[in-house]
Amino acid sequence: MKNGWLRWVIVSLVALATVINYIDRGALGFLWPEISRDLGLSKTDYAIILNVFTFAYAFGQSIFGKIFDWIGTRLGFILSIVVWSAATMLHAVATGLASFTLFRALLGLAEAGNWPGATKANAEWFPINERALAQGIFNSGAALGGIVSAPIVAYLFVLFGSWQATFITVGTMGFLWLAPW
């Protein structure tokens, strides 16, 4: 547990990572009409991709919980965000169901690290009597991410004109987050 202003920066960065997490996660759904048309994928394919993501995400919670305990909060977030950002960018080179499923599984696995990492960061940086507030700040990133993901992805798609460029740009956000972390 640490005192001072830095802990507020840490929880703010964790909340921002959560916003980015939701933007990365939501991009596929918002871009699916273009992707499915370009690659000839079906609604069944979309369901398969989503189910694999969800399974990997559930599995990733425990894996990244152990990773965060093993390498610490700082490095755990770096690993989680590097992998999920790279996975998001890899969506741009997907050519069909198999590659989208693989990249989505990698995304789900790595994005899951955000929650055990946030819990660990809050425990390390905040006294017991302020942890609920810290958890609330971090969790607000999920709601905020859900709100801003559609307009951000739509804006990027209109700006760049392709779903591939949109995935690359969205994935870049996580790498940019690493600078202040």
Side-chain angles (χ1 to χ4, degrees), residues 105-153:
L106 186 58
L107 178 67
L109 187 71
E111 274 195 342
N114 195 64
W115 270 256
T119 302
K120 188 168 182 71
N122 289 343
E124 290 173 352
W125 286 89
F126 288 87
I128 291 172
N129 65 331
E130 291 182 341
R131 285 187 193 156
L133 172 60
Q135 195 70 12
I137 292 169
F138 142 68
N139 271 332
S140 70
L144 185 57
I147 293 166
V148 303
S149 60
I152 288 174
V153 171

Side-chain angles (χ1 to χ4, degrees), residues 22-36 41 45-47 49-50 53 88 91 94 100-101 104 107 153 163 166-167 170:
Y22 272 73
I23 294 168
D24 289 6
R25 180 182 308 189
L28 178 70
F30 302 128
L31 298 170
W32 186 254
E34 294 294 323
I35 295 166
S36 63
L41 296 171
D45 295 331
Y46 184 66
I49 293 166
L50 288 183
F53 170 86
T88 299
H91 283 61
F100 263 109
T101 301
R104 207 67 186 169
L107 178 67
V153 171
W163 57 267
T166 304
F167 275 117
V170 168

Side-chain angles (χ1 to χ4, degrees), residues 13-14 16-17 20 77-78 81 172-181:
L13 283 170
V14 172
L16 180 59
I20 295 167
F77 265 110
I78 291 170
I81 291 176
T172 301
M173 291 180 202
F175 288 110
L176 294 174
W177 178 93
L178 292 170
W181 186 252

Side-chain angles (χ1 to χ4, degrees), residues 55-87:
F55 180 77
Y57 186 83
F59 190 62
Q61 292 279 329
S62 296
I63 291 172
F64 266 95
K66 183 63 177 169
I67 289 171
F68 272 83
D69 284 341
W70 181 45
I71 66 175
T73 306
R74 187 163 192 267
L75 290 177
F77 265 110
I78 291 170
L79 177 63
S80 178
I81 291 176
V82 163
V83 173
W84 99 46
S85 296

Side-chain angles (χ1 to χ4, degrees), residues 19 30 40 52 90 93 105 118 123 128 135 143 164 179:
V19 171
F30 302 128
V52 168
L90 283 169
V93 298
I128 291 172
Q135 195 70 12
Q164 295 93 338

